[in-house]
Amino acid sequence: MVDRLLIAGNWKMNLDKAGAIELTNALTKSQSTFKEVDVAVFPPSLWLTEVGDLIGSDNIKLGGQDCHEELEGAHTGDISAKMLKDVGCDYVIVGHSERRTNHFETNETIKKKVLVSIQCNLCPIVCIGETWDERNKGTAISTVSFQLKESIPDELDSHQFIIAYEPVWAIGSGKTPTFNDIEEMHSSIKETILTINPKADKVRILYGGSVKPENAAEIFNLENVGGALVGGASLSATDFSQIISIAGAKN
Ligand code: PEP
């Protein structure tokens, strides 16, 4: 099992500059309670510098919501892993289901993003997860195993990457899998990861999809859950801080 839980807040394409500053200020006020937990925020890339300047502490880390699979070049509108590192990021989310769906990202592209992130000293949070249809058909586990095998490079150590299991149907819907289903999936993810990366026995596997203060304690108590990737609830300083405190109480 991992030592500390990671609570990661994905702000997506929300908040104007004033809103991002306000949320960051509210979080930094509570950060003395974040000591037992690793915390990271993923603001829209335009606000990374402002948010990074405000957090300026070891208690909250900064991450990008995506990066290009190449280090630099003619890719209008894209952001590189190197640029994210340059503005102070430690993490980057890759393969979020919204990127897979809206930008047609394939496992092959995601694997390249993982490699370029590691090359730039960023820790990639690789998102995987089944659709509602796949869950209903009974193919959730095989879908996720396939995504892992195709998108995770081999020869990685536990600290070099993070997995986020995010059932597509649970994102922003208020629905979650049963706790048994989450536990079963996390244990299967761990098994698959070990076949790809035998040295990654301590890899963190986050759960994501409608995590809230109301369900966080039960989720964090499940075996092989190493934290949460939080969308909607990370836009409220109160809810996000509460989720962090719940994670801290578990450690
Ligand atoms: C997400 O988009 O990564 C996510 C988990 O969103 P939400 O918490 O809103 O379901």
Side-chain angles (χ1 to χ4, degrees), residues 146-215:
F146 181 77
Q147 288 172 334
L148 287 168
K149 286 181 186 145
E150 298 292 303
S151 57
I152 306 294
D154 51 17
E155 296 186 21
L156 298 183
D157 270 321
S158 306
H159 67 275
Q160 287 183 292
F161 69 115
I162 291 171
I163 300 293
Y165 167 54
E166 300 207 298
V168 179
W169 53 274
I171 295 177
S173 65
K175 295 184 202 148
T176 55
T178 65
F179 297 129
N180 272 347
D181 285 345
I182 296 177
E183 206 160 52
E184 181 188 37
M185 183 62 88
H186 278 237
S187 127
S188 153
I189 290 171
K190 190 157 182 197
E191 263 174 48
T192 308
I193 289 292
L194 286 176
T195 64
I196 310 167
N197 290 284
K199 285 189 289 178
D201 57 325
K202 286 198 168 155
V203 68
R204 279 205 261 217
I205 307 168
L206 312 183
Y207 168 77
S210 298
V211 175
K212 299 184 176 51
E214 295 75 26
N215 57 19

Side-chain angles (χ1 to χ4, degrees), residues 1-2 5 182 186 205 207 219-220 222-227 250:
M1 202 39 225
V2 291
L5 298 188
I182 296 177
H186 278 237
I205 307 168
Y207 168 77
I219 292 172
F220 298 150
L222 300 173
E223 186 119 30
N224 293 315
V225 170
K250 200 234 148 168

Side-chain angles (χ1 to χ4, degrees), residues 57-236:
S57 95
D58 285 342
N59 290 345
I60 307 178
K61 303 281 188 201
L62 197 62
Q65 296 179 12
D66 178 50
C67 66
H68 195 272
E69 72 260 34
E70 286 173 23
L71 215 45
E72 59 190 4
H75 302 292
T76 304
D78 280 312
I79 288 170
S80 72
K82 203 167 143 189
M83 291 167 185
L84 292 174
K85 191 69 198 176
D86 201 22
V87 294
C89 289
D90 286 303
Y91 297 99
V92 58
I93 297 172
V94 300
H96 191 283
S97 71
E98 286 151 15
R99 300 284 319 171
R100 290 178 187 258
T101 307
N102 303 344
H103 298 266
F104 313 105
E105 288 192 5
T106 61
N107 291 318
E108 195 191 0
T109 308
I110 292 158
K111 190 177 200 167
K112 289 184 187 155
K113 291 185 180 202
V114 172
L115 287 168
V116 82
S117 311
I118 293 172
Q119 190 186 341
C120 295
N121 284 322
L122 291 171
C123 179
I125 300 183
V126 189
C127 300
I128 35 114
E130 81 284 0
T131 61
W132 181 241
D133 202 36
E134 287 158 344
R135 165 69 52 190
N136 272 332
K137 278 196 306 213
T139 57
I141 298 248
S142 57
T143 298
V144 166
S145 276
F146 181 77
Q147 288 172 334
L148 287 168
K149 286 181 186 145
E150 298 292 303
S151 57
I152 306 294
D154 51 17
E155 296 186 21
L156 298 183
D157 270 321
S158 306
H159 67 275
Q160 287 183 292
F161 69 115
I162 291 171
I163 300 293
Y165 167 54
E166 300 207 298
V168 179
W169 53 274
I171 295 177
S173 65
K175 295 184 202 148
T176 55
T178 65
F179 297 129
N180 272 347
D181 285 345
I182 296 177
E183 206 160 52
E184 181 188 37
M185 183 62 88
H186 278 237
S187 127
S188 153
I189 290 171
K190 190 157 182 197
E191 263 174 48
T192 308
I193 289 292
L194 286 176
T195 64
I196 310 167
N197 290 284
K199 285 189 289 178
D201 57 325
K202 286 198 168 155
V203 68
R204 279 205 261 217
I205 307 168
L206 312 183
Y207 168 77
S210 298
V211 175
K212 299 184 176 51
E214 295 75 26
N215 57 19
E218 276 147 309
I219 292 172
F220 298 150
N221 271 331
L222 300 173
E223 186 119 30
N224 293 315
V225 170
L229 181 52
V230 184
S234 72
L235 295 171
S236 151

